[in-house]
Each structure stands twice: as structure tokens, then as C-alpha cells.
Amino acid sequence: MKRIFITGSSDGLGMMASNLLIEQGHKVVLHAKNPSRAEDALKANPNAEAVTVADLSSISETISLAEQVNKLGHFDAIIHNAGIGFNENRKNKTEDGLPYVFAVNSLAPYILTSLIHRPQRLIYTSSVLHRNGDSSLEDLLWDHRTWNGYQAYADSKFHNVLLAFSVANLWKNIYSNALEPGWVATKLGGKNAPDSIVDAPLTQIWLATSDEAQVLQSGNYYYHKKNKSVHQDARNTDIQNNFIEQCAKISGVKFPFDF
């Protein structure tokens, strides 16, 4: 039995993964954006251990979420599942003046990874679109580029892979991996998405709970439990370090390089 925390688990793939994990006998702590969603999440998953609340677009609330999770004790695995989509047709800014896509998809996983007590396994949810991400990491906050919601999303999913692989390189006693669940018919994916909704959460669950030799490794990228190719620059340690340094500067949260 594992104890697992899942961000963005009040609906979509996060809720599906939570349901299946609880059915398998694991302990799951949920996360929702606000109290109303938290109530809905517990109604849908009454056997969840607890539900945490934070808006991941806010740096202060994301830091608070890390504090909430740490108060709950040790977790065997954390699934960074929360994310917003590529339909942001204009640059909406958060309370911190950041693009929402970057704040939720890129910066929040960095903050939570840095501040939550380290579990044995870290799982980062990316997308096939990460291969279109901009590896220059110039103008992360879109201060100078003309806004493009599709590109902002692709960049953020590339950032997820960078973070997963960076953690794999820096924290040798942790299994840190990334995955793409497929383009499926969730609120984010849209009703016409072609991939299997049934299969979509299974790789997250597998990485969080399985003791197969393939899972007990770090620095891999999966699609439906199989190794998948990644962006050609995803394993470049200079680019990984650049991303961590920029996130630290933007958030004010230092990455704990020392174990």
C-alpha cells in the first residue's frame, strides 16, 4: 500500500487516478483549487484520506499547499497532475503578474518539488506537445514575445520534463519520471480527443505504485507504460539548470540541491 498525493485531483485525470488508487487499497490525498471544488472532490472520492486546497496560479498559495502537505506527513509518491490547457487565446496574468499557463503548469510543480518533503517517487504529467517547447528558455514570462497560447502550453509541458529529469540527476535516491497520458476527452483535452480515456491515468498509477524493475528507475519518459522519445534538449543539464535558476528567481523559492 502506498500513500500518494495528487495535484489537480478534483476532476479529470487526477480524479480518475485517485479513484483507481483508492480502489486498489492505496491512501490518497487530493488537491483542489478552492473549497467548492474540494467539497466536490470529497463527494466523488469519499474514501480519500484528505483534500488540500490551493490555487496553483498563486505563488503564496502554492507555498501554502506545500506546508499543508508536509503537515500530513510522509508520502511515498507525488503525482504532479494539475495543469491548464492551450486555449488561452490571450495572456491572462495571475496576482503575481505571471502568465497563468506558466504559473500553474511550470512554476507550481517547481515550488512544490522544492518545498514538499521528498517522497520516494515523483511523477510529472507532460504532453506530446512538449516536443514543440522552446528550449532557449528566453522570455519565459512572455514579456516580449507575441502571445501564443499553444506555444505557451507546449513550453510548459517541456518545462515539466526538464524538471523531472533535473530532479532525476540531482536527487539520486528518488525515482523521478515524466509521462504523457495521451490526448483524451477531459475538460482540458476537449470532447473530440482521440486517445483512450480508460488508459490515460494508468501510467501515473503504475509509476506511483508498481515495484517492477522498469518503474524503479529515474529519468525516463513514458506513454502508456512504454518508454517514449523526448524533446532533443530535455536531457541537456545546462538547460535544466537554467530552468531551475529562473524558477528560483521568479518564485523566490530556492531549489534544495543538497539532500
Side-chain angles (χ1 to χ4, degrees):
M1 182 182 70
K2 306 292 186 184
R3 191 165 186 249
I4 302 157
F5 171 61
I6 308 176
T7 67
S9 42
S10 64
D11 60 11
L13 293 182
M15 178 175 286
M16 292 175 64
S18 301
N19 280 327
L20 291 170
L21 285 164
I22 291 169
E23 287 176 4
Q24 293 173 9
H26 302 288
K27 291 185 177 181
V28 177
V29 171
L30 308 174
H31 158 254
K33 179 179 180 180
N34 53 49
S36 175
R37 290 193 183 183
E39 185 177 344
D40 291 341
L42 279 179
K43 286 179 181 177
N45 249 327
N47 293 320
E49 180 181 341
V51 59
T52 56
V53 178
D55 183 345
L56 297 183
S57 71
S58 162
I59 291 174
S60 63
E61 288 201 33
T62 304
I63 292 172
S64 171
L65 177 60
E67 294 169 351
Q68 292 176 55
V69 174
N70 286 336
K71 287 179 181 178
L72 292 171
H74 175 74
F75 286 86
D76 298 294
I78 294 175
I79 301 175
H80 291 280
N81 169 79
I84 58 177
F86 50 81
N87 294 321
E88 298 278 319
N89 53 19
R90 64 190 183 93
K91 180 185 170 183
N92 296 306
K93 289 188 177 183
T94 70
E95 63 182 31
D96 301 301
L98 309 177
Y100 268 91
V101 174
F102 175 80
V104 174
N105 293 8
S106 305
L107 193 63
Y110 165 82
I111 293 172
L112 296 176
T113 298
S114 300
L115 296 180
I116 294 177
H117 300 323
R118 277 166 282 232
Q120 186 63 50
R121 308 180 190 204
L122 284 163
I123 298 110
Y124 298 87
T125 305
S126 183
S127 163
V128 63
L129 297 183
H130 90 272
R131 294 174 183 83
N132 296 328
D134 178 10
S135 61
S136 75
L137 303 187
E138 295 179 359
D139 196 20
L140 284 183
L141 304 185
W142 292 81
D143 290 328
H144 307 292
R145 290 186 284 175
T146 300
W147 177 256
N148 182 312
Y150 172 90
Q151 187 62 52
Y153 180 79
D155 290 354
S156 74
K157 296 290 101 178
F158 175 59
H159 300 159
N160 295 150
V161 182
L162 283 179
L163 182 57
F165 288 0
S166 183
V167 170
N169 290 331
L170 295 169
W171 297 348
K172 298 301 184 183
N173 295 327
I174 284 178
Y175 306 126
S176 175
N177 296 288
L179 69 111
E180 60 184 73
W183 182 12
V184 294
T186 60
K187 183 171 61 177
L188 188 153
K191 64 180 181 179
N192 295 319
D195 282 350
S196 168
I197 191 71
V198 174
D199 292 337
L202 300 185
T203 304
Q204 291 181 334
I205 293 169
W206 177 66
L207 289 171
T209 63
S210 174
D211 290 324
E212 294 177 27
Q214 186 180 0
V215 171
L216 302 181
Q217 300 177 22
S218 202
N220 293 318
Y221 184 89
Y222 296 99
Y223 170 68
H224 290 183
K225 302 183 184 180
K226 294 182 179 180
N227 276 297
K228 188 87 169 177
S229 64
V230 293
H231 191 297
Q232 63 181 2
D233 293 329
R235 299 189 185 279
N236 184 309
T237 55
D238 290 336
I239 295 174
Q240 293 170 10
N241 291 336
N242 183 7
F243 177 67
I244 284 178
E245 289 168 5
Q246 291 202 56
C247 284
K249 183 176 180 180
I250 293 166
S251 66
V253 175
K254 292 183 179 180
F255 187 86
F257 290 95
D258 297 329
F259 225 96

